[in-house]
Amino acid sequence: MIAQPLTVLDDHYQELSIDGKDVIQGLNQTPKTLSPKYFYDDHGSQLFEKICELPEYYPTRTEAWILQQYADEIAEITSCCELIELGSGSSTKTQLLLDAYQKIADSCRYLPIDVSGGILKTSVLQLQEKYPDFLIHGLLGTYEQALVHLESNYLQSRMLFFLGSSLGNFNPEKCDSFLNQLSRTLQPGDYFLLGVDLQKPKDILEAAYNDSQEVTAAFNLNMLSHLNWRFQGNFDINLFRHQAIYNEFDNQIEMYLHCQKSHWVSLKSLDLEVFFEVGESILTEISRKFDLATMQKQLEEKGLKTLKTWTDEKGWFGLILCQVK
C-alpha cells in the first residue's frame, strides 16, 4: 500500500508520501538498484537496531562515544535552537544531544524525520515522556521530502543533524544534490551537524557489513519483504543471497542481493513486472567512507563553514559542526 500524502496522524506525527517511482526506475536499469530507504519498514528498523549492537559494527558505538564526550560543547556553541534530525530511527544517540540542550534551555523543539512509521511514532512518544518540556513532532518521509517541507515552514534558528554517516548512502552526484537542497533549507546562522564514517582497512569494513550472526543479511533481504508489503509484491527472499564488499577504488561498501534462480517478480501497485536472471544482482546500498578534510572542503563550497570537528581516538569516525555563512 502506498502511503498517503502529508496526513496528520496525531499531534506529534505527520506522514509524507512514497510513490515508488524510484523502484520502477531502479529495477528497470542495468545493473538493478534499490534505494536504501526501503530497508526501513518497522521490522527493518528493528533489525538495524540489532546491527548497531553487533561487535563487528563499530560506527554506532564510535559515534555515540564522540557524542558522549562532546554533546555539551556542541550545545554551548549553537545555544538553544530548533533541532531537526534526518533519519532519526530510535533516536537513541540523539538523547545525548537532547540531554545537553536540556542543560542550557528550559525548552527546545525537536523534529525527528524517518521513513519507518512504527519506530518513529514509538520514539516520539517515549521522548515526549522523557523530555516533557520539549516540543517534539515527527515527520514520516524521505530526506528530500522533509527538506522541502522544512524549507516552507521556517520557525526559528536551526541545527539540522545527519548522524550515522547516512550521507555515505549517496553517490557523489546525489550527495552534491542533497547538500545543495540542504543549503537552501538552512538560513544564514543556522547549523549543520554531520556524522561521517572515515576510511579504514578493508577487513574492518567488510566484517562490519558481513557479520557472523547474519543480522545484516536479514536486514538486506528484508528490503524485499518491505517492497512486497508496500507495493503488493511477490519477491521470494529465499531466491536471493546477501553480500557486502568494499570497493577500494571508490572507498565504499557495496551491498548486494544476488539472484539464485531465474524468475519473474511482480509489484502490482506499481504495475511492474521484472525478470531476474540467475546470478543477477541488485545493488541495495553503498556506504561511502570519507576523508575528513575533503568533506569539510565540499561543505565549504556549499556555504557551510566548519566550526569544529571531533573524532574518536582511532580516527574511525568524525563529527563536523558547520554554520551557514
PDB file of all heavy atoms in Angstrom, residues 37-53:
ATOM      1  N   LYS A  37      16.436   3.542   1.449  1.00  0.00           N
ATOM      2  CA  LYS A  37      15.300   3.940   2.294  1.00  0.00           C
ATOM      3  C   LYS A  37      14.327   2.779   2.491  1.00  0.00           C
ATOM      4  O   LYS A  37      13.599   2.732   3.494  1.00  0.00           O
ATOM      5  CB  LYS A  37      14.573   5.146   1.699  1.00  0.00           C
ATOM      6  CG  LYS A  37      13.723   4.866   0.481  1.00  0.00           C
ATOM      7  CD  LYS A  37      13.152   6.151  -0.098  1.00  0.00           C
ATOM      8  CE  LYS A  37      12.278   5.889  -1.315  1.00  0.00           C
ATOM      9  NZ  LYS A  37      11.887   7.139  -1.981  1.00  0.00           N
ATOM     10  N   TYR A  38      14.315   1.809   1.544  1.00  0.00           N
ATOM     11  CA  TYR A  38      13.394   0.681   1.662  1.00  0.00           C
ATOM     12  C   TYR A  38      13.872  -0.383   2.652  1.00  0.00           C
ATOM     13  O   TYR A  38      13.188  -1.372   2.877  1.00  0.00           O
ATOM     14  CB  TYR A  38      13.118   0.076   0.286  1.00  0.00           C
ATOM     15  CG  TYR A  38      12.347   1.024  -0.606  1.00  0.00           C
ATOM     16  CD1 TYR A  38      12.971   1.656  -1.685  1.00  0.00           C
ATOM     17  CD2 TYR A  38      11.013   1.327  -0.342  1.00  0.00           C
ATOM     18  CE1 TYR A  38      12.272   2.545  -2.487  1.00  0.00           C
ATOM     19  CE2 TYR A  38      10.314   2.225  -1.139  1.00  0.00           C
ATOM     20  CZ  TYR A  38      10.948   2.837  -2.209  1.00  0.00           C
ATOM     21  OH  TYR A  38      10.251   3.722  -2.988  1.00  0.00           O
ATOM     22  N   PHE A  39      15.031  -0.193   3.246  1.00  0.00           N
ATOM     23  CA  PHE A  39      15.424  -1.040   4.376  1.00  0.00           C
ATOM     24  C   PHE A  39      14.473  -0.843   5.558  1.00  0.00           C
ATOM     25  O   PHE A  39      14.265  -1.741   6.360  1.00  0.00           O
ATOM     26  CB  PHE A  39      16.832  -0.683   4.864  1.00  0.00           C
ATOM     27  CG  PHE A  39      17.952  -1.163   3.988  1.00  0.00           C
ATOM     28  CD1 PHE A  39      18.996  -0.313   3.664  1.00  0.00           C
ATOM     29  CD2 PHE A  39      17.992  -2.453   3.502  1.00  0.00           C
ATOM     30  CE1 PHE A  39      20.052  -0.731   2.872  1.00  0.00           C
ATOM     31  CE2 PHE A  39      19.038  -2.901   2.705  1.00  0.00           C
ATOM     32  CZ  PHE A  39      20.060  -2.023   2.390  1.00  0.00           C
ATOM     33  N   TYR A  40      13.906   0.361   5.664  1.00  0.00           N
ATOM     34  CA  TYR A  40      13.375   0.797   6.950  1.00  0.00           C
ATOM     35  C   TYR A  40      11.861   0.766   7.044  1.00  0.00           C
ATOM     36  O   TYR A  40      11.204   1.785   7.246  1.00  0.00           O
ATOM     37  CB  TYR A  40      13.914   2.188   7.281  1.00  0.00           C
ATOM     38  CG  TYR A  40      15.416   2.197   7.401  1.00  0.00           C
ATOM     39  CD1 TYR A  40      16.200   2.684   6.363  1.00  0.00           C
ATOM     40  CD2 TYR A  40      16.049   1.655   8.512  1.00  0.00           C
ATOM     41  CE1 TYR A  40      17.584   2.672   6.453  1.00  0.00           C
ATOM     42  CE2 TYR A  40      17.424   1.630   8.604  1.00  0.00           C
ATOM     43  CZ  TYR A  40      18.188   2.139   7.566  1.00  0.00           C
ATOM     44  OH  TYR A  40      19.550   2.104   7.649  1.00  0.00           O
ATOM     45  N   ASP A  41      11.287  -0.451   6.920  1.00  0.00           N
ATOM     46  CA  ASP A  41       9.959  -0.644   7.482  1.00  0.00           C
ATOM     47  C   ASP A  41      10.171  -0.931   8.963  1.00  0.00           C
ATOM     48  O   ASP A  41      11.305  -0.845   9.480  1.00  0.00           O
ATOM     49  CB  ASP A  41       9.212  -1.770   6.764  1.00  0.00           C
ATOM     50  CG  ASP A  41       9.881  -3.136   6.925  1.00  0.00           C
ATOM     51  OD1 ASP A  41      11.028  -3.214   7.429  1.00  0.00           O
ATOM     52  OD2 ASP A  41       9.264  -4.140   6.519  1.00  0.00           O
ATOM     53  N   ASP A  42       9.123  -1.252   9.675  1.00  0.00           N
ATOM     54  CA  ASP A  42       9.277  -1.438  11.124  1.00  0.00           C
ATOM     55  C   ASP A  42      10.234  -2.577  11.460  1.00  0.00           C
ATOM     56  O   ASP A  42      11.088  -2.445  12.347  1.00  0.00           O
ATOM     57  CB  ASP A  42       7.906  -1.686  11.779  1.00  0.00           C
ATOM     58  CG  ASP A  42       7.013  -0.462  11.740  1.00  0.00           C
ATOM     59  OD1 ASP A  42       7.525   0.635  11.417  1.00  0.00           O
ATOM     60  OD2 ASP A  42       5.812  -0.598  12.015  1.00  0.00           O
ATOM     61  N   HIS A  43      10.109  -3.708  10.739  1.00  0.00           N
ATOM     62  CA  HIS A  43      10.994  -4.834  11.025  1.00  0.00           C
ATOM     63  C   HIS A  43      12.428  -4.511  10.644  1.00  0.00           C
ATOM     64  O   HIS A  43      13.372  -4.857  11.369  1.00  0.00           O
ATOM     65  CB  HIS A  43      10.513  -6.083  10.274  1.00  0.00           C
ATOM     66  CG  HIS A  43      11.314  -7.318  10.584  1.00  0.00           C
ATOM     67  ND1 HIS A  43      11.520  -7.778  11.874  1.00  0.00           N
ATOM     68  CD2 HIS A  43      11.976  -8.185   9.760  1.00  0.00           C
ATOM     69  CE1 HIS A  43      12.261  -8.871  11.837  1.00  0.00           C
ATOM     70  NE2 HIS A  43      12.556  -9.137  10.567  1.00  0.00           N
ATOM     71  N   GLY A  44      12.604  -3.823   9.520  1.00  0.00           N
ATOM     72  CA  GLY A  44      13.941  -3.421   9.114  1.00  0.00           C
ATOM     73  C   GLY A  44      14.603  -2.511  10.128  1.00  0.00           C
ATOM     74  O   GLY A  44      15.795  -2.640  10.420  1.00  0.00           O
ATOM     75  N   SER A  45      13.819  -1.600  10.693  1.00  0.00           N
ATOM     76  CA  SER A  45      14.362  -0.703  11.716  1.00  0.00           C
ATOM     77  C   SER A  45      14.771  -1.474  12.958  1.00  0.00           C
ATOM     78  O   SER A  45      15.791  -1.171  13.586  1.00  0.00           O
ATOM     79  CB  SER A  45      13.326   0.369  12.073  1.00  0.00           C
ATOM     80  OG  SER A  45      13.082   1.208  10.966  1.00  0.00           O
ATOM     81  N   GLN A  46      13.984  -2.487  13.323  1.00  0.00           N
ATOM     82  CA  GLN A  46      14.340  -3.322  14.464  1.00  0.00           C
ATOM     83  C   GLN A  46      15.627  -4.095  14.197  1.00  0.00           C
ATOM     84  O   GLN A  46      16.488  -4.225  15.076  1.00  0.00           O
ATOM     85  CB  GLN A  46      13.190  -4.285  14.774  1.00  0.00           C
ATOM     86  CG  GLN A  46      11.939  -3.599  15.315  1.00  0.00           C
ATOM     87  CD  GLN A  46      10.720  -4.516  15.299  1.00  0.00           C
ATOM     88  OE1 GLN A  46      10.796  -5.677  14.901  1.00  0.00           O
ATOM     89  NE2 GLN A  46       9.592  -3.978  15.726  1.00  0.00           N
ATOM     90  N   LEU A  47      15.767  -4.606  12.975  1.00  0.00           N
ATOM     91  CA  LEU A  47      16.996  -5.314  12.614  1.00  0.00           C
ATOM     92  C   LEU A  47      18.196  -4.375  12.643  1.00  0.00           C
ATOM     93  O   LEU A  47      19.287  -4.764  13.088  1.00  0.00           O
ATOM     94  CB  LEU A  47      16.855  -5.950  11.227  1.00  0.00           C
ATOM     95  CG  LEU A  47      15.957  -7.183  11.143  1.00  0.00           C
ATOM     96  CD1 LEU A  47      15.703  -7.560   9.682  1.00  0.00           C
ATOM     97  CD2 LEU A  47      16.583  -8.368  11.892  1.00  0.00           C
ATOM     98  N   PHE A  48      18.005  -3.142  12.192  1.00  0.00           N
ATOM     99  CA  PHE A  48      19.125  -2.209  12.218  1.00  0.00           C
ATOM    100  C   PHE A  48      19.548  -1.899  13.650  1.00  0.00           C
ATOM    101  O   PHE A  48      20.744  -1.736  13.927  1.00  0.00           O
ATOM    102  CB  PHE A  48      18.779  -0.914  11.480  1.00  0.00           C
ATOM    103  CG  PHE A  48      19.958   0.027  11.412  1.00  0.00           C
ATOM    104  CD1 PHE A  48      21.046  -0.271  10.609  1.00  0.00           C
ATOM    105  CD2 PHE A  48      19.994   1.182  12.174  1.00  0.00           C
ATOM    106  CE1 PHE A  48      22.148   0.573  10.553  1.00  0.00           C
ATOM    107  CE2 PHE A  48      21.086   2.033  12.130  1.00  0.00           C
ATOM    108  CZ  PHE A  48      22.164   1.731  11.313  1.00  0.00           C
ATOM    109  N   GLU A  49      18.585  -1.813  14.559  1.00  0.00           N
ATOM    110  CA  GLU A  49      18.941  -1.612  15.958  1.00  0.00           C
ATOM    111  C   GLU A  49      19.805  -2.765  16.466  1.00  0.00           C
ATOM    112  O   GLU A  49      20.749  -2.557  17.240  1.00  0.00           O
ATOM    113  CB  GLU A  49      17.678  -1.481  16.819  1.00  0.00           C
ATOM    114  CG  GLU A  49      16.850  -0.241  16.538  1.00  0.00           C
ATOM    115  CD  GLU A  49      17.612   1.048  16.785  1.00  0.00           C
ATOM    116  OE1 GLU A  49      18.254   1.171  17.853  1.00  0.00           O
ATOM    117  OE2 GLU A  49      17.578   1.936  15.911  1.00  0.00           O
ATOM    118  N   LYS A  50      19.533  -3.988  16.012  1.00  0.00           N
ATOM    119  CA  LYS A  50      20.355  -5.143  16.390  1.00  0.00           C
ATOM    120  C   LYS A  50      21.748  -5.046  15.762  1.00  0.00           C
ATOM    121  O   LYS A  50      22.751  -5.394  16.396  1.00  0.00           O
ATOM    122  CB  LYS A  50      19.670  -6.444  15.955  1.00  0.00           C
ATOM    123  CG  LYS A  50      18.400  -6.768  16.731  1.00  0.00           C
ATOM    124  CD  LYS A  50      17.811  -8.098  16.281  1.00  0.00           C
ATOM    125  CE  LYS A  50      16.551  -8.432  17.068  1.00  0.00           C
ATOM    126  NZ  LYS A  50      15.933  -9.722  16.633  1.00  0.00           N
ATOM    127  N   ILE A  51      21.800  -4.587  14.510  1.00  0.00           N
ATOM    128  CA  ILE A  51      23.094  -4.410  13.849  1.00  0.00           C
ATOM    129  C   ILE A  51      23.969  -3.465  14.652  1.00  0.00           C
ATOM    130  O   ILE A  51      25.182  -3.694  14.821  1.00  0.00           O
ATOM    131  CB  ILE A  51      22.886  -3.866  12.416  1.00  0.00           C
ATOM    132  CG1 ILE A  51      22.305  -4.952  11.513  1.00  0.00           C
ATOM    133  CG2 ILE A  51      24.201  -3.347  11.823  1.00  0.00           C
ATOM    134  CD1 ILE A  51      21.878  -4.458  10.140  1.00  0.00           C
ATOM    135  N   CYS A  52      23.370  -2.403  15.161  1.00  0.00           N
ATOM    136  CA  CYS A  52      24.134  -1.400  15.914  1.00  0.00           C
ATOM    137  C   CYS A  52      24.775  -1.958  17.175  1.00  0.00           C
ATOM    138  O   CYS A  52      25.723  -1.378  17.708  1.00  0.00           O
ATOM    139  CB  CYS A  52      23.230  -0.220  16.276  1.00  0.00           C
ATOM    140  SG  CYS A  52      22.678   0.737  14.839  1.00  0.00           S
ATOM    141  N   GLU A  53      24.281  -3.099  17.643  1.00  0.00           N
ATOM    142  CA  GLU A  53      24.817  -3.723  18.855  1.00  0.00           C
ATOM    143  C   GLU A  53      25.832  -4.829  18.557  1.00  0.00           C
ATOM    144  O   GLU A  53      26.421  -5.397  19.478  1.00  0.00           O
ATOM    145  CB  GLU A  53      23.656  -4.304  19.680  1.00  0.00           C
ATOM    146  CG  GLU A  53      22.661  -3.237  20.159  1.00  0.00           C
ATOM    147  CD  GLU A  53      21.434  -3.846  20.803  1.00  0.00           C
ATOM    148  OE1 GLU A  53      21.327  -5.104  20.829  1.00  0.00           O
ATOM    149  OE2 GLU A  53      20.569  -3.082  21.260  1.00  0.00           O
TER     150      GLU A  53
END
